[in-house]
Coordinates of all heavy atoms in Angstrom, one line a residue:
M235 N 101.8 102.0 103.4 CA 102.0 103.1 102.5 C 101.3 104.3 103.0 O 100.2 104.2 103.5 CB 101.4 102.6 101.1 CG 101.7 103.7 100.1 SD 101.2 103.2 98.4 CE 102.2 101.8 98.1
V236 N 101.9 105.4 102.9 CA 101.3 106.7 103.3 C 101.1 107.6 102.2 O 102.0 107.8 101.3 CB 102.2 107.4 104.4 CG1 101.7 108.7 104.8 CG2 102.4 106.5 105.6
L237 N 100.0 108.3 102.1 CA 99.7 109.3 101.1 C 99.5 110.6 101.8 O 98.7 110.7 102.7 CB 98.5 108.9 100.3 CG 97.9 110.0 99.3 CD1 98.9 110.2 98.2 CD2 96.5 109.6 98.8
V238 N 100.2 111.7 101.4 CA 99.9 113.0 101.8 C 99.0 113.6 100.8 O 99.3 113.8 99.6 CB 101.2 113.9 102.0 CG1 100.9 115.3 102.4 CG2 102.1 113.2 103.0
D239 N 97.7 114.0 101.3 CA 96.7 114.4 100.3 C 96.1 115.8 100.8 O 95.3 115.9 101.7 CB 95.6 113.4 100.3 CG 94.4 113.7 99.4 OD1 94.5 114.7 98.7 OD2 93.5 112.9 99.4
S240 N 96.6 116.9 100.1 CA 96.1 118.2 100.5 C 94.7 118.4 100.0 O 94.1 119.5 100.3 CB 97.0 119.3 99.9 OG 97.0 119.2 98.4
G241 N 94.1 117.5 99.3 CA 92.7 117.6 98.9 C 91.7 117.0 99.9 O 90.5 116.9 99.7
N242 N 92.3 116.4 100.9 CA 91.5 115.7 101.9 C 91.7 116.4 103.3 O 92.9 116.6 103.7 CB 91.9 114.2 102.0 CG 91.0 113.4 102.9 OD1 90.1 113.9 103.6 ND2 91.3 112.1 103.0
F243 N 90.7 116.8 104.0 CA 90.9 117.5 105.2 C 91.3 116.6 106.3 O 92.2 116.9 107.1 CB 89.6 118.2 105.7 CG 89.8 119.0 106.9 CD1 90.4 120.2 106.9 CD2 89.4 118.5 108.1 CE1 90.6 120.9 108.1 CE2 89.6 119.1 109.3 CZ 90.2 120.4 109.3
H244 N 90.7 115.4 106.4 CA 90.9 114.5 107.5 C 92.1 113.6 107.3 O 92.5 113.3 106.2 CB 89.7 113.6 107.8 CG 88.5 114.4 108.0 ND1 88.3 115.1 109.2 CD2 87.3 114.6 107.3 CE1 87.1 115.7 109.2 NE2 86.5 115.4 108.0
N245 N 92.6 113.1 108.4 CA 93.6 112.0 108.4 C 92.8 110.7 108.4 O 91.9 110.6 109.1 CB 94.5 112.0 109.6 CG 95.3 113.3 109.7 OD1 95.8 113.8 108.7 ND2 95.3 113.9 110.8
I246 N 93.3 109.7 107.6 CA 92.5 108.5 107.5 C 93.5 107.3 107.7 O 94.6 107.3 107.2 CB 91.9 108.4 106.1 CG1 90.9 109.5 105.9 CG2 91.2 107.0 105.9 CD1 90.4 109.7 104.5
L247 N 93.0 106.3 108.4 CA 93.7 105.1 108.7 C 92.8 103.9 108.4 O 91.6 103.9 108.6 CB 94.1 105.1 110.2 CG 94.8 103.9 110.8 CD1 96.2 103.8 110.2 CD2 94.9 104.0 112.3
Q248 N 93.4 102.8 107.9 CA 92.7 101.6 107.6 C 92.2 100.9 108.9 O 93.0 100.9 109.9 CB 93.5 100.6 106.8 CG 93.8 101.0 105.4 CD 92.5 100.9 104.6 OE1 91.6 100.1 104.8 NE2 92.4 101.8 103.7
S249 N 91.0 100.5 109.0 CA 90.5 99.9 110.2 C 91.3 98.7 110.7 O 91.6 98.5 111.9 CB 89.0 99.4 110.0 OG 88.2 100.4 109.7
H250 N 91.7 97.8 109.7 CA 92.5 96.7 110.1 C 93.9 97.0 110.7 O 94.4 96.4 111.6 CB 92.7 95.7 109.0 CG 93.6 96.2 107.8 ND1 94.9 96.0 107.8 CD2 93.3 96.9 106.7 CE1 95.4 96.6 106.7 NE2 94.4 97.1 106.1
L251 N 94.4 98.2 110.3 CA 95.7 98.6 111.0 C 95.4 99.1 112.4 O 96.2 98.8 113.3 CB 96.3 99.8 110.2 CG 97.0 99.4 108.9 CD1 97.5 100.6 108.1 CD2 98.1 98.5 109.1
A252 N 94.3 99.8 112.6 CA 94.0 100.3 114.0 C 93.8 99.1 114.9 O 94.3 99.1 116.0 CB 92.7 101.1 113.9
K253 N 93.2 98.0 114.4 CA 93.0 96.8 115.2 C 94.3 96.1 115.5 O 94.6 95.7 116.6 CB 92.0 95.9 114.6 CG 90.6 96.5 114.6 CD 89.6 95.6 113.8 CE 88.2 96.3 113.7 NZ 87.3 95.6 112.8
H254 N 95.1 96.0 114.4 CA 96.4 95.3 114.6 C 97.3 96.1 115.5 O 98.1 95.4 116.3 CB 97.1 95.3 113.2 CG 98.4 94.7 113.2 ND1 98.6 93.3 113.3 CD2 99.6 95.2 113.1 CE1 99.9 93.1 113.3 NE2 100.6 94.2 113.2
L255 N 97.2 97.4 115.6 CA 98.1 98.2 116.4 C 97.5 98.4 117.8 O 98.0 99.1 118.7 CB 98.3 99.6 115.8 CG 99.1 99.5 114.5 CD1 99.2 100.9 113.8 CD2 100.6 99.0 114.8
H256 N 96.3 97.8 118.1 CA 95.6 97.9 119.3 C 95.3 99.3 119.7 O 95.4 99.7 120.9 CB 96.3 97.2 120.4 CG 96.6 95.7 120.1 ND1 95.7 94.8 120.1 CD2 97.8 95.1 119.8 CE1 96.2 93.6 119.8 NE2 97.5 93.8 119.5
L257 N 94.9 100.1 118.8 CA 94.5 101.5 119.0 C 93.2 101.6 119.6 O 92.3 100.8 119.4 CB 94.6 102.4 117.7 CG 96.0 102.4 117.1 CD1 95.9 103.1 115.7 CD2 97.0 103.1 118.0
N258 N 92.9 102.7 120.4 CA 91.6 102.9 121.0 C 90.7 103.4 119.9 O 90.8 104.5 119.5 CB 91.7 103.9 122.2 CG 90.5 104.1 122.9 OD1 89.6 103.2 122.9 ND2 90.3 105.2 123.5
I259 N 89.7 102.6 119.5 CA 88.7 102.9 118.5 C 87.5 103.4 119.1 O 86.9 102.8 120.0 CB 88.4 101.7 117.6 CG1 89.7 101.2 116.9 CG2 87.3 102.0 116.6 CD1 89.6 99.9 116.1
E260 N 87.0 104.6 118.7 CA 85.8 105.2 119.3 C 84.8 105.5 118.2 O 85.2 105.9 117.1 CB 86.2 106.6 119.9 CG 87.2 106.4 121.0 CD 87.5 107.7 121.8 OE1 86.6 108.5 121.8 OE2 88.6 107.8 122.3
P261 N 83.5 105.3 118.5 CA 82.5 105.6 117.5 C 82.4 107.2 117.4 O 82.7 107.9 118.3 CB 81.2 105.1 118.1 CG 81.5 105.0 119.6 CD 83.0 104.8 119.7
T262 N 82.0 107.6 116.2 CA 81.8 109.0 115.9 C 80.6 109.1 115.0 O 80.1 108.1 114.5 CB 83.1 109.6 115.1 OG1 82.9 111.0 115.0 CG2 83.3 108.9 113.8
Q263 N 80.1 110.3 114.9 CA 78.9 110.5 114.1 C 79.3 110.1 112.6 O 80.3 110.5 112.1 CB 78.5 112.0 114.1 CG 77.3 112.3 113.3 CD 76.8 113.8 113.5 OE1 77.4 114.5 114.3 NE2 75.8 114.1 112.7
S264 N 78.4 109.3 112.0 CA 78.7 108.9 110.7 C 78.6 110.0 109.6 O 77.8 110.9 109.8 CB 77.6 107.8 110.3 OG 77.8 106.7 111.1
F265 N 79.5 109.9 108.7 CA 79.4 110.8 107.5 C 80.0 110.1 106.3 O 80.7 109.2 106.4 CB 80.1 112.2 107.8 CG 81.6 112.1 108.0 CD1 82.5 112.3 107.0 CD2 82.1 111.8 109.3 CE1 83.9 112.2 107.2 CE2 83.5 111.7 109.5 CZ 84.3 111.9 108.5
S266 N 79.6 110.6 105.1 CA 79.9 109.9 103.9 C 80.8 110.8 103.1 O 80.6 112.0 103.0 CB 78.7 109.6 103.1 OG 79.0 109.0 101.9
I267 N 81.8 110.2 102.4 CA 82.7 111.0 101.5 C 82.8 110.2 100.2 O 82.9 109.0 100.2 CB 84.1 111.1 102.2 CG1 84.0 112.0 103.4 CG2 85.1 111.7 101.2 CD1 85.3 112.3 104.1
M268 N 82.8 110.9 99.1 CA 83.1 110.3 97.8 C 84.6 110.2 97.6 O 85.3 111.2 97.8 CB 82.5 111.2 96.7 CG 82.6 110.5 95.3 SD 82.0 111.5 93.9 CE 80.3 111.5 94.3
V269 N 85.0 109.0 97.3 CA 86.4 108.7 97.0 C 86.7 108.8 95.6 O 85.8 109.0 94.7 CB 86.8 107.4 97.7 CG1 86.7 107.5 99.2 CG2 86.0 106.2 97.2
G270 N 88.0 108.5 95.2 CA 88.5 108.7 93.8 C 87.7 108.0 92.8 O 87.6 108.4 91.6
N271 N 87.2 106.8 93.1 CA 86.5 106.0 92.1 C 85.0 106.3 92.1 O 84.2 105.6 91.5 CB 86.7 104.5 92.3 CG 86.1 104.0 93.6 OD1 85.5 104.8 94.3 ND2 86.2 102.7 93.8
R272 N 84.6 107.4 92.8 CA 83.2 107.9 92.9 C 82.3 107.1 93.8 O 81.1 107.3 93.8 CB 82.6 108.2 91.5 CG 83.4 109.2 90.7 CD 82.5 109.7 89.5 NE 83.2 110.7 88.8 CZ 83.2 112.0 89.0 NH1 82.5 112.4 90.0 NH2 83.8 112.8 88.2
D273 N 82.9 106.1 94.5 CA 82.1 105.4 95.5 C 82.0 106.3 96.7 O 82.8 107.1 97.0 CB 82.8 104.1 95.9 CG 82.7 103.0 94.9 OD1 81.8 103.1 94.0 OD2 83.4 102.0 95.0
N274 N 80.9 106.1 97.5 CA 80.7 106.8 98.7 C 81.2 105.8 99.9 O 80.8 104.7 99.9 CB 79.3 107.2 99.0 CG 78.9 108.4 98.1 OD1 79.7 109.4 98.1 ND2 77.8 108.4 97.5
V275 N 82.0 106.3 100.7 CA 82.5 105.6 101.9 C 82.0 106.2 103.1 O 82.0 107.4 103.3 CB 84.1 105.6 101.9 CG1 84.6 104.9 103.1 CG2 84.6 104.9 100.6
I276 N 81.5 105.4 104.1 CA 80.9 105.9 105.3 C 81.9 105.7 106.4 O 82.5 104.7 106.6 CB 79.6 105.2 105.7 CG1 78.5 105.5 104.6 CG2 79.1 105.6 107.0 CD1 77.2 104.8 104.7
Y277 N 82.2 106.8 107.1 CA 83.1 106.8 108.2 C 82.2 106.8 109.5 O 81.3 107.7 109.6 CB 84.0 108.0 108.2 CG 85.0 108.1 107.1 CD1 84.7 108.7 105.9 CD2 86.2 107.4 107.2 CE1 85.6 108.7 104.8 CE2 87.1 107.5 106.1 CZ 86.8 108.1 105.0 OH 87.7 108.1 103.9
N278 N 82.5 105.9 110.4 CA 81.7 106.0 111.7 C 82.6 105.6 112.9 O 82.1 105.4 114.0 CB 80.5 105.1 111.6 CG 80.8 103.7 111.2 OD1 81.9 103.3 111.3 ND2 79.8 103.0 110.8
N279 N 83.9 105.5 112.7 CA 84.8 105.2 113.8 C 86.1 106.1 113.7 O 86.4 106.5 112.6 CB 85.3 103.8 113.9 CG 84.1 102.9 114.3 OD1 83.5 103.1 115.3 ND2 83.9 101.8 113.5
C280 N 86.7 106.4 114.8 CA 87.9 107.2 114.8 C 88.9 106.7 115.9 O 88.5 106.0 116.8 CB 87.6 108.7 114.9 SG 86.9 109.2 116.4
C281 N 90.1 107.1 115.8 CA 91.1 107.0 116.8 C 91.6 108.4 117.1 O 92.1 109.1 116.1 CB 92.3 106.1 116.4 SG 91.8 104.4 116.0
L282 N 91.4 108.9 118.3 CA 91.6 110.3 118.5 C 93.1 110.7 118.7 O 93.5 111.9 118.5 CB 90.8 110.8 119.7 CG 89.3 110.7 119.5 CD1 88.6 111.1 120.8 CD2 88.9 111.7 118.4
A283 N 93.9 109.8 119.2 CA 95.3 110.2 119.5 C 96.3 109.1 119.1 O 96.7 108.3 119.9 CB 95.4 110.5 121.0
V284 N 96.6 109.1 117.8 CA 97.5 108.1 117.3 C 98.9 108.7 117.1 O 99.1 109.7 116.5 CB 97.0 107.7 115.9 CG1 98.0 106.7 115.3 CG2 95.6 107.1 116.0
P285 N 99.9 108.1 117.8 CA 101.3 108.6 117.6 C 101.8 108.2 116.3 O 101.7 107.0 115.9 CB 102.0 108.0 118.8 CG 101.3 106.8 119.1 CD 99.8 107.0 118.8
L286 N 102.3 109.1 115.5 CA 102.9 108.9 114.2 C 104.3 109.4 114.2 O 104.5 110.6 114.4 CB 102.1 109.5 113.1 CG 102.5 109.2 111.7 CD1 102.5 107.7 111.3 CD2 101.7 110.0 110.7
T287 N 105.3 108.6 114.1 CA 106.7 109.0 114.2 C 107.4 109.0 112.9 O 107.4 108.1 112.2 CB 107.5 108.1 115.2 OG1 106.8 108.1 116.5 CG2 108.9 108.5 115.4
F288 N 108.0 110.2 112.6 CA 108.9 110.4 111.5 C 110.3 110.4 112.1 O 110.5 110.4 113.3 CB 108.6 111.7 110.8 CG 107.3 111.6 110.0 CD1 106.1 112.0 110.6 CD2 107.2 111.1 108.7 CE1 104.9 112.0 109.9 CE2 106.0 111.1 108.0 CZ 104.9 111.5 108.6
P289 N 111.4 110.3 111.3 CA 112.7 110.2 111.8 C 113.1 111.3 112.9 O 113.8 110.9 113.8 CB 113.6 110.4 110.6 CG 112.8 109.9 109.5 CD 111.4 110.3 109.8
T290 N 112.5 112.5 112.8 CA 112.9 113.5 113.8 C 111.8 114.1 114.6 O 112.0 114.9 115.4 CB 113.6 114.7 113.0 OG1 112.6 115.2 112.1 CG2 114.8 114.3 112.3
H291 N 110.6 113.6 114.4 CA 109.4 114.2 115.2 C 108.3 113.2 115.3 O 108.1 112.4 114.4 CB 108.9 115.4 114.5 CG 108.0 116.2 115.3 ND1 108.4 117.0 116.3 CD2 106.6 116.4 115.2 CE1 107.3 117.6 116.8 NE2 106.2 117.2 116.2
T292 N 107.6 113.2 116.4 CA 106.4 112.4 116.6 C 105.2 113.3 116.7 O 105.2 114.3 117.4 CB 106.5 111.6 117.9 OG1 107.6 110.7 117.8 CG2 105.2 110.8 118.2
F293 N 104.2 113.0 115.9 CA 102.9 113.7 115.9 C 101.9 112.9 116.6 O 101.9 111.7 116.5 CB 102.5 114.0 114.5 CG 103.4 114.9 113.7 CD1 104.4 114.3 113.0 CD2 103.2 116.3 113.7 CE1 105.3 115.1 112.2 CE2 104.1 117.1 112.9 CZ 105.1 116.5 112.2
T294 N 101.0 113.5 117.3 CA 99.8 112.8 117.9 C 98.6 113.3 117.1 O 98.3 114.5 117.3 CB 99.7 113.0 119.4 OG1 100.9 112.5 120.0 CG2 98.5 112.2 120.0
L295 N 98.0 112.4 116.3 CA 97.0 112.9 115.4 C 95.7 112.1 115.5 O 95.7 110.9 115.9 CB 97.5 112.6 114.0 CG 98.8 113.3 113.6 CD1 99.3 112.7 112.3 CD2 98.6 114.8 113.5
P296 N 94.6 112.8 115.2 CA 93.3 112.0 115.1 C 93.2 111.4 113.7 O 93.6 112.0 112.7 CB 92.2 113.1 115.3 CG 92.9 114.3 114.8 CD 94.4 114.2 115.0
F297 N 92.6 110.2 113.6 CA 92.4 109.5 112.4 C 91.0 109.0 112.3 O 90.5 108.5 113.3 CB 93.3 108.3 112.2 CG 94.7 108.7 111.8 CD1 95.7 109.0 112.8 CD2 95.1 108.7 110.5 CE1 97.0 109.3 112.4 CE2 96.4 109.0 110.1 CZ 97.3 109.3 111.1
Y298 N 90.3 109.2 111.1 CA 89.1 108.5 110.9 C 89.4 107.1 110.3 O 90.4 107.0 109.6 CB 88.2 109.3 109.9 CG 87.5 110.5 110.6 CD1 88.1 111.7 110.6 CD2 86.4 110.3 111.3 CE1 87.6 112.8 111.3 CE2 85.8 111.4 112.0 CZ 86.4 112.6 112.0 OH 85.8 113.6 112.6
L299 N 88.6 106.1 110.6 CA 88.9 104.8 110.1 C 88.2 104.5 108.8 O 87.0 104.6 108.7 CB 88.6 103.8 111.2 CG 89.3 104.0 112.5 CD1 89.0 102.8 113.5 CD2 90.8 104.1 112.3
L300 N 88.9 104.0 107.8 CA 88.4 103.6 106.5 C 88.0 102.1 106.6 O 88.9 101.3 106.9 CB 89.4 103.9 105.5 CG 89.0 103.8 104.0 CD1 87.9 104.8 103.7 CD2 90.1 104.0 103.1
P301 N 86.8 101.8 106.3 CA 86.4 100.4 106.5 C 86.8 99.4 105.4 O 86.5 98.3 105.5 CB 84.8 100.5 106.5 CG 84.6 101.8 105.7 CD 85.7 102.7 105.9
N302 N 87.4 99.9 104.3 CA 87.8 99.0 103.2 C 89.3 99.0 102.9 O 90.0 99.8 103.6 CB 87.0 99.2 102.0 CG 87.2 100.6 101.4 OD1 87.9 101.4 102.0 ND2 86.5 100.9 100.3
E303 N 89.8 98.3 102.0 CA 91.2 98.2 101.7 C 91.6 99.4 100.8 O 90.8 100.1 100.2 CB 91.5 96.9 100.9 CG 91.2 95.7 101.7 CD 92.0 95.5 102.9 OE1 93.2 95.8 102.9 OE2 91.4 95.2 104.0
G304 N 92.9 99.7 100.8 CA 93.4 100.8 100.1 C 94.7 101.2 100.8 O 95.4 100.4 101.3
L305 N 95.0 102.5 100.7 CA 96.2 103.0 101.3 C 96.1 102.8 102.8 O 95.0 102.9 103.4 CB 96.4 104.5 101.0 CG 96.7 104.8 99.6 CD1 96.6 106.3 99.3 CD2 98.2 104.3 99.3
G306 N 97.2 102.5 103.5 CA 97.2 102.3 104.9 C 96.9 103.6 105.7 O 96.1 103.6 106.6
I307 N 97.6 104.7 105.3 CA 97.4 106.0 106.0 C 97.3 107.1 105.0 O 98.1 107.1 104.0 CB 98.6 106.3 106.9 CG1 98.7 105.2 108.0 CG2 98.6 107.6 107.5 CD1 100.0 105.3 108.8
V308 N 96.4 108.0 105.2 CA 96.3 109.2 104.4 C 96.4 110.4 105.3 O 95.6 110.5 106.3 CB 94.9 109.3 103.6 CG1 94.8 110.6 102.9 CG2 94.8 108.1 102.7
L309 N 97.4 111.2 105.1 CA 97.6 112.4 105.9 C 97.0 113.6 105.1 O 97.4 113.9 104.0 CB 99.0 112.7 106.2 CG 99.7 111.6 107.0 CD1 101.2 111.9 107.1 CD2 99.1 111.5 108.4
G310 N 96.0 114.2 105.7 CA 95.3 115.3 105.1 C 95.7 116.7 105.6 O 96.7 116.8 106.3
I311 N 94.8 117.7 105.4 CA 95.1 119.0 105.8 C 95.3 119.1 107.3 O 96.0 119.9 107.8 CB 94.0 120.0 105.3 CG1 94.1 120.1 103.7 CG2 94.1 121.4 105.9 CD1 93.0 120.8 103.1
A312 N 94.5 118.2 108.0 CA 94.7 118.2 109.5 C 96.1 118.0 109.9 O 96.6 118.6 110.9 CB 93.8 117.2 110.1
W313 N 96.8 117.2 109.2 CA 98.3 117.0 109.5 C 99.1 118.1 108.9 O 100.0 118.6 109.6 CB 98.8 115.6 109.0 CG 100.2 115.4 109.1 CD1 100.9 115.2 110.3 CD2 101.2 115.5 108.1 NE1 102.2 115.2 110.1 CE2 102.5 115.4 108.8 CE3 101.2 115.8 106.8 CZ2 103.7 115.4 108.1 CZ3 102.4 115.8 106.1 CH2 103.6 115.6 106.7
L314 N 98.9 118.4 107.7 CA 99.7 119.5 107.0 C 99.7 120.8 107.8 O 100.7 121.4 108.0 CB 99.2 119.7 105.6 CG 99.5 118.7 104.6 CD1 98.7 118.9 103.3 CD2 101.0 118.6 104.3
S315 N 98.5 121.1 108.4 CA 98.4 122.4 109.1 C 99.1 122.3 110.5 O 99.5 123.3 111.0 CB 97.0 122.8 109.3 OG 96.3 121.8 110.1
S316 N 99.4 121.1 110.9 CA 100.1 120.9 112.2 C 101.6 121.1 112.0 O 102.3 121.3 113.0 CB 99.8 119.5 112.8 OG 100.5 118.5 112.1
I317 N 102.2 121.1 110.8 CA 103.6 121.2 110.6 C 104.0 122.6 110.2 O 105.1 122.9 110.1 CB 104.1 120.1 109.6 CG1 103.5 120.3 108.2 CG2 104.0 118.8 110.2 CD1 104.2 119.4 107.2
G318 N 103.0 123.5 109.9 CA 103.3 124.8 109.5 C 102.4 125.3 108.4 O 101.5 124.6 108.0
P319 N 102.6 126.6 108.0 CA 101.7 127.1 106.9 C 101.8 126.3 105.6 O 102.9 125.8 105.3 CB 102.3 128.5 106.7 CG 103.1 128.8 107.9 CD 103.6 127.5 108.4
Y320 N 100.8 126.2 104.9 CA 100.7 125.5 103.6 C 99.8 126.3 102.7 O 99.0 127.1 103.1 CB 100.3 124.1 103.8 CG 98.8 124.0 104.1 CD1 97.9 123.8 103.1 CD2 98.4 124.1 105.4 CE1 96.5 123.8 103.4 CE2 97.0 124.0 105.7 CZ 96.1 123.9 104.7 OH 94.8 123.9 105.0
E321 N 100.0 126.0 101.4 CA 99.2 126.6 100.4 C 98.6 125.5 99.6 O 99.3 124.6 99.0 CB 100.0 127.5 99.5 CG 99.2 128.2 98.5 CD 100.1 129.2 97.6 OE1 101.1 129.7 98.1 OE2 99.7 129.5 96.5
Q322 N 97.3 125.5 99.5 CA 96.6 124.5 98.7 C 96.5 124.9 97.3 O 96.1 126.0 97.0 CB 95.2 124.2 99.3 CG 94.6 123.0 98.7 CD 93.3 122.6 99.5 OE1 92.8 123.3 100.2 NE2 92.8 121.4 99.2
I323 N 97.0 124.1 96.4 CA 97.0 124.4 95.0 C 96.0 123.5 94.2 O 96.0 122.3 94.4 CB 98.4 124.2 94.4 CG1 99.4 125.1 95.1 CG2 98.5 124.5 92.9 CD1 100.9 124.8 94.8
F324 N 95.2 124.1 93.4 CA 94.2 123.3 92.6 C 94.6 123.3 91.2 O 95.0 124.4 90.6 CB 92.8 123.9 92.8 CG 92.3 123.8 94.2 CD1 92.4 124.9 95.0 CD2 91.7 122.6 94.6 CE1 91.9 124.8 96.3 CE2 91.2 122.5 95.9 CZ 91.3 123.6 96.7
Y325 N 94.6 122.2 90.6 CA 94.9 122.0 89.2 C 93.6 121.7 88.4 O 92.8 120.9 88.9 CB 95.9 120.9 88.9 CG 97.3 121.3 89.5 CD1 97.7 120.7 90.7 CD2 98.2 122.1 88.9 CE1 98.9 121.0 91.3 CE2 99.4 122.4 89.4 CZ 99.7 121.9 90.6 OH 101.0 122.2 91.2
S326 N 93.4 122.2 87.2 CA 92.2 121.8 86.5 C 92.6 121.1 85.2 O 93.7 120.9 84.9 CB 91.4 123.0 86.2 OG 92.1 124.1 85.7

């Protein structure tokens, strides 16, 4: 399952998917992000060049690895900005 999330800057991939796909996992400087249920998740690994193919185009994207279960892939602003101009809309 893929979520396009304009409220998230980074692209995120489940750790178990990266291992299953035999992607090159690299350590990165740890940082913490608060997720939807208000838990803090620590990111400390990434995959720098993951090919992601849609029916008409392949993107090569960096992904931070999420250490727990949830959505398989989250495409954030890093991906949205690669396909063209976008406008971030905030609702209150």
Side-chain angles (χ1 to χ4, degrees):
M235 186 176 297
V236 176
L237 170 69
V238 176
D239 183 3
S240 64
N242 188 355
F243 182 80
H244 301 292
N245 301 314
I246 299 168
L247 178 68
Q248 289 292 325
S249 297
H250 67 90
L251 286 177
K253 291 174 186 172
H254 177 75
L255 296 171
H256 305 287
L257 298 175
N258 186 26
I259 298 172
E260 300 185 26
T262 186
Q263 182 176 354
S264 295
F265 62 97
S266 176
I267 292 183
M268 183 184 294
V269 293
N271 65 359
R272 299 198 179 267
D273 285 345
N274 286 314
V275 176
I276 296 175
Y277 294 91
N278 55 16
N279 289 309
C280 65
C281 297
L282 294 176
V284 177
L286 183 63
T287 302
F288 290 92
T290 60
H291 191 75
T292 297
F293 297 89
T294 302
L295 303 168
F297 282 88
Y298 285 94
L299 301 185
L300 189 63
N302 59 359
E303 297 300 317
L305 291 169
I307 298 173
V308 177
L309 297 174
I311 293 173
W313 174 72
L314 286 169
S315 64
S316 74
I317 62 173
Y320 70 93
E321 182 177 335
Q322 192 169 13
I323 301 171
F324 294 96
Y325 295 98
S326 45

